[in-house]
Amino acid sequence: MQALSGIFAVTFPFFALVLCGYLAARSRLLPLDAVPGLNMFVLYFALPCMLYRFGSTTPLMQLFNPVVAVLWLLSGALIVGATAWRARRLGAGWPDAAMGALVAAFPNSGFMGVPLILALLGEGGVGPVMATLLLDLVVTTSLCIGLAHLGPSGGGDHGAAQAVGRALKGMLRNPMPWSILLGAAAGAVGLQLWAPVGKTVQLLADAASPVALFTIGAVLARSQYQVAALGERPSPLRDVGSIAFTKLLVHPALVWGLGMLAVRAGWLAPAMLVPLVLAAALPAASNVSLLAERFGADNGRVARVILWSTAVAFFSFSAVVALLG
């Protein structure tokens, strides 16, 4: 109980900030029209500065470890394949199958994972988490967007290829992977920012964690409001619950199982496995809701998975931390 109390002492403030953002937007204390601006600040200013700072101090082997890449991509591919196959078996179209698979495989590593795992494991645990973020932004998202364009309405293989191309172009405009790569390059050559610029980056980086967590809650409240305003019929609880269960429990269990095989084979250090499992145990990434809306999937279904996975993750994530500890 004492160990669990210590874990909650670390995790509670992070999820409490998410709840504060949710309540602020739900009560209209924070106007819903202000949420995109808050999201923009985090995505284009605060979070890139934090990722740049960690990228510049993280050993390159942690960011670009081939064993980590294979382990994460293999586990993600299994989650995507199984979730999409199940959705198709139940009669879902390719957009719903693909976005349901993405929300089951893409954890909220950027807004929540980096600061939370930093608090739990220290700077040594940040490198593998940022590596998974790069892989999910470039590979997992592109794969699922390609799947969303399969079938007659998506233009078949040609439509899928075009969709992947558009996804890669969108990735090039996303500041998160670039900030990690630029930070890694700066660290590799020993580049130090000019002191006033470095101080500015530090101030923005320090703001990233609390503002990002608050923004997650605000985005969830706005998504819930938008779905209710459209009068959409709620997705079956069994469907939403199964995807959330996959994200919070099946994904980390799969990463742990594959990772233990790599550890026993001598390919992966045990210290690298813990942050990977914790990253997989995070709730679903909130940006999947935007992608679902863009590619014609059931945005209400995806938004509910994100909401429920974030709420339940306070308990499930803490349990995973206790098991690994």
Side-chain angles (χ1 to χ4, degrees):
M1 286 298 294
Q2 187 175 0
L4 192 58
S5 177
I7 293 170
F8 280 134
V10 177
T11 59
F12 178 83
F14 288 83
F15 287 93
L17 282 174
V18 175
L19 179 61
C20 287
Y22 178 84
L23 294 176
R26 185 67 185 261
S27 65
R28 304 298 189 273
L29 185 63
L30 176 71
L32 294 181
D33 292 341
V35 175
L38 200 60
N39 200 38
M40 185 74 67
F41 169 76
V42 174
L43 183 60
Y44 286 95
F45 292 92
L47 194 57
C49 289
M50 183 182 73
L51 294 176
Y52 174 89
R53 187 171 68 177
F54 287 133
S56 65
T57 58
T58 301
L60 289 178
M61 194 55 192
Q62 288 191 16
L63 286 174
F64 305 106
N65 188 317
V67 178
V68 169
V70 171
L71 168 62
W72 190 259
L73 291 177
L74 178 58
S75 60
L78 291 173
I79 292 293
V80 167
T83 308
W85 174 83
R86 179 180 180 275
R88 291 287 294 165
R89 289 270 296 182
L90 294 175
W94 275 112
D96 284 331
M99 290 300 109
L102 182 58
V103 82
F106 193 170
N108 203 338
S109 305
F111 279 36
M112 179 178 285
V114 172
L116 180 53
I117 293 175
L118 171 67
L120 289 166
L121 303 179
E123 292 194 6
V126 173
V129 179
M130 294 199 299
T132 66
L133 178 59
L134 279 172
L135 293 168
D136 282 331
L137 288 170
V138 177
V139 181
T140 310
T141 301
S142 300
L143 169 64
C144 290
I145 290 175
L147 290 177
H149 283 74
L150 292 178
S153 61
D157 293 337
H158 183 64
Q162 289 181 338
V164 171
R166 288 196 298 271
L168 291 175
K169 290 180 181 178
M171 183 273 298
L172 293 176
R173 294 192 294 269
N174 190 321
M176 286 196 289
W178 288 112
S179 58
I180 297 173
L181 294 174
L182 288 174
V189 301
L191 174 66
Q192 295 290 332
L193 295 175
W194 181 45
V197 174
K199 184 62 175 178
T200 304
V201 170
Q202 180 182 344
L203 289 171
L204 286 170
D206 290 342
S209 177
V211 180
L213 294 167
F214 187 90
T215 302
I216 292 172
V219 169
L220 290 174
R222 188 186 62 162
S223 298
Q224 192 177 34
Y225 172 79
Q226 290 174 338
V227 169
L230 291 174
E232 297 180 358
R233 184 179 179 181
S235 303
L237 183 60
R238 182 177 179 181
D239 177 45
V240 172
S242 67
I243 298 176
F245 174 82
T246 300
K247 175 74 224 62
L248 296 177
L249 297 178
V250 177
H251 192 193
L254 184 59
V255 171
W256 180 83
L258 294 174
M260 286 303 297
L261 293 177
V263 169
R264 290 174 180 173
W267 300 336
L268 185 70
M272 295 282 284
L273 179 58
V274 174
L276 292 177
V277 176
L278 292 182
L282 292 165
S286 54
N287 65 316
V288 181
S289 177
L290 301 176
L291 291 173
E293 184 176 358
R294 182 183 305 173
F295 293 104
D298 184 351
N299 185 36
R301 171 176 177 251
V302 171
R304 290 183 182 92
V305 172
I306 297 170
L307 178 63
W308 280 105
S309 68
T310 303
V312 176
F314 173 65
F315 302 99
S316 63
F317 182 85
S318 299
V320 172
V321 174
L323 290 173
L324 293 175

